[in-house]
């Protein structure tokens, strides 16, 4: 049994838009966390004993979070690019097929009934 395969190229391209927006929000969040623990001396938890203890638990987790958010950003951004590329590819393939069909139809219309092998118009007369 054959099944139809239908692609909506514009739908693919449009689906990339919210992914880009979400990726940018995630990158912004990662940058915000990174700014909080930057190496430039910004230590909002202080330099006392309690601050150091807090930092020992917080900084490694925050760095893991930055790494995870960066990975999520990469996946979303890459997915958006690929969806957009797929949409363009299907559009181009469809346009190419339509142009080829139009050319073929034009050739057939221009040569219809002029013989050729297997045309069924031959005969003895």
């Amino acid at each position: 049994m054959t099944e139809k395969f239908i692609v909506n190229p514009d739908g693919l391209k449009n689906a990339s838009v919210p992914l880009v927006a979400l990726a940018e929000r995630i990158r912004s969040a990662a940058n915000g966390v990174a700014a909080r623990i930057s190496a430039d001396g910004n230590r909002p938890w202080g330099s006392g004993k309690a601050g150091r203890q807090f930092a020992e638990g917080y900084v490694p987790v925050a760095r893991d979070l930055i790494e995870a958010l960066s990975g999520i950003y990469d996946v979303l951004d890459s997915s958006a690019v690929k969806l957009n590329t797929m949409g363009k590819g299907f559009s181009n393939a469809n346009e190419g097929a339509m142009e080829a069909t139009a050319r073929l139809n034009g050739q057939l219309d221009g040569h219809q009934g002029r013989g050729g092998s297997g045309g069924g118009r031959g005969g003895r007369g």
Side-chain angles (χ1 to χ4, degrees):
M1 183 165 121
T2 61
E3 294 184 31
K4 291 183 180 183
F5 179 75
I6 299 172
V7 176
N8 179 349
D10 290 333
L12 286 171
K13 290 184 273 187
N14 292 338
S16 69
V17 175
L19 287 179
V20 170
L22 181 57
E24 291 302 323
R25 287 177 53 200
I26 288 175
R27 181 167 52 179
S28 177
N31 290 340
V33 173
R36 296 255 186 228
I37 62 166
S38 66
D40 67 1
N42 180 16
R43 305 282 187 246
W45 46 81
S47 59
K49 181 179 178 182
R52 284 191 306 272
Q53 287 175 336
F54 174 81
E56 287 173 6
Y58 173 79
V59 171
V61 172
R63 286 193 176 130
D64 288 346
L65 177 62
I66 293 167
E67 187 177 325
L69 290 173
S70 295
I72 292 169
Y73 167 80
D74 291 342
V75 168
L76 290 172
D77 186 60
S78 174
S79 296
V81 168
K82 289 175 182 175
L83 281 172
N84 196 27
T85 301
M86 285 173 53
K88 288 178 182 178
F90 279 116
S91 287
N92 292 341
N94 189 46
E95 288 172 14
M98 288 175 24
E99 289 171 6
T101 301
R103 280 193 309 272
L104 181 60
N105 284 336
Q107 290 173 354
L108 291 174
D109 288 343
H111 297 95
Q112 191 172 19
R114 295 194 181 177
S117 64
R121 294 195 167 240
R124 296 183 186 162

